[in-house]
């Protein structure tokens, strides 16, 4: 009943803080994004609520613990749980971060930056192919917000191109992350968008951030989206084409009716440009 669903319009990251309120308002998100790690082991009342949401809304999964750039081997017991979850709920879209978080078996609980080298890109390509094969799905990788540039044999957009084209995966393009990196590392975010191939894109992320200094932004997902990021999102929709957009809000989450007001702004923007669907 879920397998042929279409993700279109604007989505919202599903949080336990407001899951009980989703049906209380006339305005409902077109779809939800969930972190599978937060729901795989859930039981009882929350699981029932999740299953009701799954019944009524399209869902995509955005993972937290794949750690694709890590030197550690892939965790196949996690991948098995993930595959069972995706298969059971008939979730087609699964994305992860172009970063790493595990090292020597320890979780750093952070999305750490990767060196933009051929060696790292090849390492990721090999792992993505194994993951896609195991899950029986094409996955998407998200461009990261980066605070420290490590070794760099190529530019970030070249690193993304190399991986996406050779691994046969998709890109989850986070427009806020492009903006954050452009301020922190001093480049033109519009020129970055111009270098992205529309064919790579699964969907977009938009989010708020904290500007702590003139040239330093921390990607908190804890504030409202600023106008500069909306403008970059609008440019991206025009330049790269309409795809679904997900509003991320992970911290400092306002009351649900307030979050819906921001969601509505994103939805209006997407619908203005919506011409095609995934
Ligand atoms: Fe994101």
């Amino acid at each position: 009943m879920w397998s042929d669903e279409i993700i279109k319009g604007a989505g919202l990251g599903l949080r336990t803080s407001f899951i009980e309120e989703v049906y209380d308002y006339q305005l409902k998100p077109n779809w939800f994004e969930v972190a599978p790690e937060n729901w795989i082991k859930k039981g009882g009342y929350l699981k029932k609520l999740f299953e009701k949401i799954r019944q009524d809304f399209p869902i995509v999964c955005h993972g937290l613990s794949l750690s694709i750039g890590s030197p550690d081997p892939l965790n196949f017991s996690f991948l098995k749980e993930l595959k069972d979850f995706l298969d059971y709920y008939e979730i087609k879209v699964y994305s992860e971060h172009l970063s790493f978080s595990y090292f020597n078996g320890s979780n750093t609980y952070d999305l750490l930056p990767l060196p933009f080298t051929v060696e790292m890109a090849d390492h990721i390509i090999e792992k993505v192919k194994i993951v896609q094969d195991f899950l029986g799905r094409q996955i998407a990788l998200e461009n990261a917000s980066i605070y420290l540039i490590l070794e760099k044999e190529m530019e970030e957009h070249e690193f993304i191109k190399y991986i996406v084209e050779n691994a046969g995966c998709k890109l989850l393009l986070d427009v806020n992350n492009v903006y954050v990196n452009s301020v922190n590392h001093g480049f033109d975010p519009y020129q970055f968008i111009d270098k992205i191939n529309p064919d790579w894109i699964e969907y977009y992320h938009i989010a708020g951030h904290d500007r702590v200094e003139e040239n330093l932004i921390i990607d908190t997902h804890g504030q409202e989206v600023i106008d500069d990021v909306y403008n970059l999102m609008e440019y991206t929709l025009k330049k790269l084409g309409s795809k679904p957009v997900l509003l991320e809000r992970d911290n400092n989450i306002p009351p649900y009716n307030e979050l819906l007001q921001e969601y509505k702004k994103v939805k209006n923007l997407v619908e203005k440009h919506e011409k095609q669907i995934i």
Side-chain angles (χ1 to χ4, degrees), residues 111-164:
L111 299 170
L112 297 171
L114 302 170
F116 297 149
T117 61
V118 172
E119 187 183 9
M120 176 52 74
D122 285 339
H123 172 68
I124 290 171
I125 289 161
E126 194 186 325
K127 278 174 134 181
V128 168
K129 285 180 177 170
I130 294 167
V131 171
Q132 292 188 143
D133 204 35
F134 189 88
L135 296 179
R137 288 163 177 77
Q138 188 180 36
I139 71 167
L141 292 175
E142 177 183 8
N143 58 301
S145 49
I146 300 161
Y147 304 99
L148 177 67
I149 306 260
L150 302 170
E151 194 180 345
K152 188 172 159 187
E153 292 172 355
M154 56 183 114
E155 296 299 324
E156 185 187 1
H157 64 90
E158 294 170 318
F159 187 69
I160 291 169
K161 174 183 165 74
Y162 187 97
I163 290 169
V164 168

Side-chain angles (χ1 to χ4, degrees), residues 62 97 142-143 172 174 177 205-207 219 221 248:
H62 184 47
H97 301 85
E142 177 183 8
N143 58 301
L172 164 51
D174 188 314
N177 289 354
H205 270 179
I206 191 168
D219 183 27
H221 300 174
E248 292 188 290

Side-chain angles (χ1 to χ4, degrees), residues 177-246:
N177 289 354
V178 174
Y179 181 81
V180 167
N181 292 343
S182 76
V183 171
N184 290 348
H185 303 292
F187 64 82
D188 182 342
Y190 291 84
Q191 285 182 14
F192 183 96
I193 297 297
D194 289 346
K195 289 170 184 135
I196 299 297
N197 183 336
D199 294 341
W200 302 340
I201 295 167
E202 183 77 62
Y203 66 102
Y204 302 113
H205 270 179
I206 191 168
H209 57 248
D210 272 354
R211 192 160 196 138
V212 293
E213 285 174 28
E214 165 116 17
N215 296 321
L216 180 61
I217 292 178
I218 306 293
D219 183 27
T220 53
H221 300 174
Q223 305 291 332
E224 285 191 15
V225 180
I226 65 165
D227 285 346
D228 282 354
V229 173
Y230 275 117
N231 293 339
L232 186 61
M233 186 78 252
E234 178 141 36
Y235 177 81
T236 304
L237 289 166
K238 275 186 201 156
K239 178 84 188 182
L240 301 182
S242 178
K243 291 275 179 176
V245 179
L246 185 281

Side-chain angles (χ1 to χ4, degrees), residues 33-169:
E33 182 191 82
V34 303
E37 291 86 348
N38 292 341
W39 296 96
I40 281 173
K41 292 191 194 315
K42 280 267 190 312
Y45 179 59
L46 279 172
K47 184 176 178 181
K48 273 203 171 121
L49 287 176
F50 177 79
E51 295 203 326
K52 168 75 178 144
I53 294 275
R54 179 65 191 110
Q55 197 76 35
D56 296 338
F57 294 88
I59 297 261
V60 303
C61 274
H62 184 47
L64 298 166
S65 58
L66 186 63
S67 192
I68 198 76
S70 171
D72 290 18
L74 289 162
N75 180 343
F76 282 95
S77 62
F78 163 69
L79 283 173
K80 174 73 172 70
E81 287 180 334
L82 175 65
K83 180 174 167 48
D84 289 348
F85 182 82
L86 296 173
D87 286 350
Y88 180 77
Y89 290 110
E90 297 182 15
I91 295 169
K92 286 190 289 188
V93 178
Y94 167 68
S95 63
E96 253 290 350
H97 301 85
L98 206 39
S99 63
F100 81 102
S101 49
Y102 279 86
F103 186 70
N104 274 347
S106 296
N107 191 349
T108 65
Y109 296 102
D110 250 319
L111 299 170
L112 297 171
L114 302 170
F116 297 149
T117 61
V118 172
E119 187 183 9
M120 176 52 74
D122 285 339
H123 172 68
I124 290 171
I125 289 161
E126 194 186 325
K127 278 174 134 181
V128 168
K129 285 180 177 170
I130 294 167
V131 171
Q132 292 188 143
D133 204 35
F134 189 88
L135 296 179
R137 288 163 177 77
Q138 188 180 36
I139 71 167
L141 292 175
E142 177 183 8
N143 58 301
S145 49
I146 300 161
Y147 304 99
L148 177 67
I149 306 260
L150 302 170
E151 194 180 345
K152 188 172 159 187
E153 292 172 355
M154 56 183 114
E155 296 299 324
E156 185 187 1
H157 64 90
E158 294 170 318
F159 187 69
I160 291 169
K161 174 183 165 74
Y162 187 97
I163 290 169
V164 168
E165 292 188 348
N166 288 292
C169 65

